[in-house]
Amino acid sequence: MTIELKVPESGESIQEVQILKWLKSEGESVQEDEDVVELETDKASMDLAAPANCTLQKILKQEGEIVSVGEVIALFEEGAGKPAAKSEKKSKSADKPKTEPAAATKSDGNAKSASSSEDTQATPSGRRELLKHGLSASDVAPAGKTVRREDVEKYVQSISSRPSSDSGNRNEKEMEEVIPMSLIRRRIASKLVEAQQKAALLTTFNQVDMSYVMDLRKRHGESFQKRYGVKLGFMSFFTKALIDALKAHPELNAEIRDETNIVYRNYFHIGIAVGSGKGLVVPVLKFAERMSFAEIEQAIQEFAGRAKSNQLKPEELSGGTFTISNGGVYGSMLSTPIVNPPQSGVLGMHAIEERPVAVNGQVVVRPMMYLALTYDHRIVDGREAVTFLKRIKEAIEEPSRMLIEA
């Protein structure tokens, strides 16, 4: 009996997925609920399991292809596969290189020149230089018996001085690699362009003295980690300060809908931008106003770990009302973050650096961080944006204000 493997629904807005990697080969036996293929949507990656104990009969869609929800991508047959045939095929290929290299080393000069093996034609430093410039050993005429680093450098210098119409162009083309954009990367690109085209984006800046928060982390960090199993980071402080500011300036937690209405939200779904192997993703802390410092830190740590292994779920990447982006973890000193539509604002955090500042008429050195707020000027006025960012600054410099002024 033939069983079809179809692309399942993964959310209301997801209509297509990309085949990332087949985890099983044709002819292999698989168990029910065993992962057989890795798929990627425009929001996250996911694994698709076998529908029953069966054999993968035929793969209909190859890695890299874009397929629609509900489309059949493979066929299974009830019963066990034939692993013996596969192992026999592998053993034959494994035996092949055992005889060919020996014959090559004893061949005459003509046979040796026809060989493309860089292991026998280049020194270690020569191979590294060949790899650096996308060349093979056969491209270079060595001064001696083997290609050395100096031979490659001389060859590269010679082709760079040739007219553009000669064979130098061929090597440039060979160095190019064309790879289809992943759905996640396409989604990121689309959202960035949408933000630039549809919203009236402006950015305001401020700087915050991190002394108080750093002192709190120093005094309570060890006991916090022992109790909750996670480090006391900066993100929990900024998330709390952000929510405090959003309550005071609700327009930054709102969105323009249908170009005619402003939707104000009385809940706070805070997106936290984290890096993954395929780009920046923004998992969302749902109802972050209800979360403690420990719950925020634990959730962010879990998101970051699953982002690196492409295990975030589509529903965890949607519904955000405001976003925090911390470029400081990569060393960024100052930047202008882009709003994630349909949100109206994004807070950019940056690296902490010791800088001289004036305090009570005295110049002192303090750990300072630049903050950036990019906002949609269609819904947020400049005065509100500036006072919003200033309130975050004040909450970080003296967190107790959030208790007094709540």
Side-chain angles (χ1 to χ4, degrees), residues 135 154-163 166-168 171:
L135 300 171
K154 183 178 179 180
Y155 174 75
V156 172
Q157 185 177 5
S158 68
I159 64 173
S160 64
S161 61
R162 297 176 190 173
D166 68 8
S167 59
N171 290 313

Side-chain angles (χ1 to χ4, degrees), residues 80-128:
K82 301 178 180 179
K86 291 185 62 182
S87 60
E88 181 181 353
K89 185 177 180 180
K90 289 182 179 178
S91 64
K92 289 181 180 179
S93 62
D95 291 336
K96 190 175 181 181
K98 292 181 181 179
T99 57
E100 290 186 353
T105 56
K106 295 181 180 180
S107 62
D108 57 24
N110 290 335
K112 185 175 181 180
S113 62
S115 172
S116 61
S117 173
E118 293 185 10
D119 290 338
T120 59
Q121 296 187 36
T123 64
S125 61
R127 287 197 299 271
R128 288 194 295 269

Side-chain angles (χ1 to χ4, degrees), residues 347-363:
L347 176 68
M349 298 166 54
H350 299 90
I352 300 172
E353 292 194 353
E354 290 191 342
R355 290 194 290 271
V357 294
V359 178
N360 297 325
Q362 300 293 323
V363 176

Side-chain angles (χ1 to χ4, degrees), residues 25-38:
S25 302
E26 291 182 353
E28 275 194 77
S29 297
V30 293
Q31 301 296 314
E32 185 176 1
D33 294 330
E34 184 179 3
D35 293 335
V36 295
V37 63
E38 185 178 352

Side-chain angles (χ1 to χ4, degrees), residues 111-347:
K112 185 175 181 180
S113 62
S115 172
S116 61
S117 173
E118 293 185 10
D119 290 338
T120 59
Q121 296 187 36
T123 64
S125 61
R127 287 197 299 271
R128 288 194 295 269
E129 198 69 17
L130 288 168
L131 183 62
K132 174 182 176 181
H133 295 285
L135 300 171
S136 63
S138 60
D139 293 329
V140 181
K145 293 183 178 181
T146 57
V147 176
R148 300 175 302 163
R149 179 174 58 83
E150 295 82 358
D151 298 323
V152 181
E153 292 176 343
K154 183 178 179 180
Y155 174 75
V156 172
Q157 185 177 5
S158 68
I159 64 173
S160 64
S161 61
R162 297 176 190 173
S164 59
S165 60
D166 68 8
S167 59
N169 284 339
R170 175 180 60 84
N171 290 313
E172 291 177 0
K173 290 293 184 182
E174 290 176 349
M175 294 170 64
E176 295 180 352
E177 184 179 7
V178 180
I179 300 176
M181 289 179 69
S182 67
L183 289 179
I184 288 180
R185 177 56 61 183
R186 293 186 197 182
R187 180 64 171 173
I188 292 172
S190 175
K191 296 289 282 186
L192 291 175
V193 172
E194 179 187 350
Q196 296 280 28
Q197 291 180 342
K198 292 187 176 181
L201 301 182
L202 290 179
T203 305
T204 184
F205 302 94
N206 212 319
Q207 62 177 345
V208 56
D209 186 344
M210 298 296 295
S211 299
Y212 198 109
V213 168
M214 292 177 72
D215 180 62
L216 282 175
R217 293 178 72 232
K218 184 177 180 180
R219 286 189 285 122
H220 302 287
E222 185 176 350
S223 60
F224 185 92
Q225 186 167 7
K226 285 182 179 179
R227 181 172 183 179
Y228 300 108
V230 65
K231 291 183 178 180
L232 177 58
F234 293 116
M235 292 303 297
S236 51
F237 287 94
F238 275 95
T239 301
K240 289 294 186 180
L242 172 64
I243 294 172
D244 175 73
L246 288 173
K247 290 178 178 179
H249 299 277
E251 62 274 9
L252 277 145
N253 198 48
E255 71 168 78
I256 295 177
R257 189 173 295 174
D258 302 326
E259 302 297 329
T260 56
N261 299 314
I262 298 177
V263 179
Y264 291 93
R265 305 182 181 92
N266 297 316
Y267 56 90
F268 303 89
H269 291 351
I270 307 302
I272 307 293
V274 297
S276 70
K278 297 170 183 175
L280 199 67
V281 294
V282 188
V284 179
L285 299 175
K286 300 291 178 67
F287 299 105
E289 72 274 15
R290 304 175 187 175
M291 302 174 73
S292 66
F293 274 64
E295 289 170 334
I296 291 172
E297 295 293 350
Q298 289 167 345
I300 293 174
Q301 184 184 70
E302 183 188 1
F303 281 150
R306 290 197 287 120
K308 292 178 181 178
S309 57
N310 300 313
Q311 293 180 344
L312 290 174
K313 300 176 182 178
E315 58 268 24
E316 294 174 322
L317 298 167
S318 60
T321 62
F322 194 97
T323 297
I324 303 178
S325 178
N326 185 6
V329 297
Y330 303 110
S332 173
M333 187 174 179
L334 189 63
S335 65
T336 54
I338 299 179
V339 167
N340 183 17
Q343 298 173 20
S344 297
V346 55
L347 176 68

Side-chain angles (χ1 to χ4, degrees), residues 387-400:
T387 54
F388 173 85
L389 191 57
K390 184 181 177 184
R391 184 164 180 129
I392 293 177
K393 164 188 168 70
E394 292 170 346
I396 294 296
E397 291 182 340
E398 193 177 350
S400 58

